[in-house]
Amino acid sequence: RKYLREAKLRSNWDAPDRAYEARLCDHAQALILGAEGLAYRQNLLRLLAEIAPAAEARCLIQLVLRNTVPGVPDLYQGCEWDDLSLVDPDNRRPVDFGARKAALAGRTNRKQQVLAALLRARRQDPDLWEKGDYRAISIAGSPDILAFSRNHSASCLTVLASPSQLTELEGGELHLDASAHDLVSGAFFDEGDHMVSALLGKRAAAVLYSAEM
């Protein structure tokens, strides 16, 4: 009902059309649970399987950019995992913190692990995130790759993101001025020139962090 009211097409918070809301909810329940919705569910599952890789790639890119570009990331408790809600996140929702702690300790949720790594680096090197500059990077031969760096003092954060299928990446090199740790994959890369495809691997994004220890 929140989705219907916030869409403000047939119902809203000021003048809710409860009869319309009830009819739509009944229809949705039939599609999800009823025998009459079987064909719909089968078609939906095929569609979801088809778009899942692209959706996962874009989810990772969004997570990385939100936590690396200049500014303060918009984070909601309880959204450390994938959130398939039809409305904006809501900090008032109950959160199963026990399940999230267990997943974090067991490294069973990819999105949560990446988020934790990004926040851990931000906490360890706050000046880089707060005062670091922003430099766009052009990757020759790879126009579909978004790349930039954040630099402050001896610390550097280099971000790569590509919504394209990784098999489509051709050419493109990136020079690392110092050895770096990818906060997304956990891999380490030496100083020097690297193929972008090697830095990304099979992932849609990489966050290469280096700092003088």
Side-chain angles (χ1 to χ4, degrees), residues 56-97:
E56 291 175 3
R58 282 156 177 76
C59 180
L60 176 62
I61 291 173
Q62 183 187 67
L63 175 68
V64 163
L65 294 180
R66 191 170 68 241
N67 288 277
T68 56
V69 298
V72 179
D74 191 11
L75 301 175
Y76 286 82
Q77 64 178 8
C79 292
E80 299 84 3
W81 298 349
D82 291 336
D83 183 14
L84 304 180
S85 302
L86 295 177
V87 294
D88 293 336
D90 190 337
N91 273 337
R92 297 168 296 181
R93 291 177 179 175
V95 178
D96 189 342
F97 289 106

Side-chain angles (χ1 to χ4, degrees), residues 28 61 69 78 105 112 131 133-134 137 150 167 178-179 181 192 197 203:
I61 291 173
V69 298
Q112 184 185 34
K131 302 175 183 178
D133 61 6
Y134 175 93
I137 299 175
R150 306 282 311 281
T167 55
S179 59
H181 172 217
S197 57
R203 295 164 297 277

Side-chain angles (χ1 to χ4, degrees), residues 165-183:
Q165 294 296 321
L166 297 180
T167 55
E168 298 175 3
L169 294 178
E170 296 180 2
E173 287 187 346
L174 179 70
H175 179 78
L176 298 178
D177 293 331
S179 59
H181 172 217
D182 182 11
L183 300 178

Side-chain angles (χ1 to χ4, degrees), residues 17-179:
D17 187 339
R18 291 184 172 81
Y20 168 74
E21 293 174 356
R23 291 196 304 273
L24 193 142
C25 289
D26 289 343
H27 179 63
Q29 288 284 340
L31 289 176
I32 296 171
L33 302 174
E36 62 271 39
L38 178 60
Y40 167 79
R41 294 194 294 273
Q42 292 173 336
N43 289 331
L44 180 60
L45 289 174
R46 283 193 290 268
L47 174 62
L48 293 177
E50 180 180 342
I51 66 175
E56 291 175 3
R58 282 156 177 76
C59 180
L60 176 62
I61 291 173
Q62 183 187 67
L63 175 68
V64 163
L65 294 180
R66 191 170 68 241
N67 288 277
T68 56
V69 298
V72 179
D74 191 11
L75 301 175
Y76 286 82
Q77 64 178 8
C79 292
E80 299 84 3
W81 298 349
D82 291 336
D83 183 14
L84 304 180
S85 302
L86 295 177
V87 294
D88 293 336
D90 190 337
N91 273 337
R92 297 168 296 181
R93 291 177 179 175
V95 178
D96 189 342
F97 289 106
R100 281 160 177 77
K101 288 180 180 178
L104 186 61
R107 303 182 64 84
T108 58
N109 186 281
R110 181 189 182 194
K111 177 183 177 182
Q112 184 185 34
Q113 290 299 320
V114 174
L115 177 59
L118 291 168
L119 293 178
R120 188 160 50 244
R122 185 187 185 104
R123 182 176 57 193
Q124 293 172 351
D125 198 350
D127 285 347
L128 174 59
W129 267 262
E130 181 180 351
K131 302 175 183 178
D133 61 6
Y134 175 93
R135 304 177 189 178
I137 299 175
S138 178
I139 306 294
S142 302
D144 292 336
I145 293 180
L146 170 68
F148 64 88
S149 67
R150 306 282 311 281
N151 299 270
H152 178 74
S153 186
S155 297
C156 177
L157 196 71
T158 302
V159 178
L160 301 170
S162 174
S164 302
Q165 294 296 321
L166 297 180
T167 55
E168 298 175 3
L169 294 178
E170 296 180 2
E173 287 187 346
L174 179 70
H175 179 78
L176 298 178
D177 293 331
S179 59

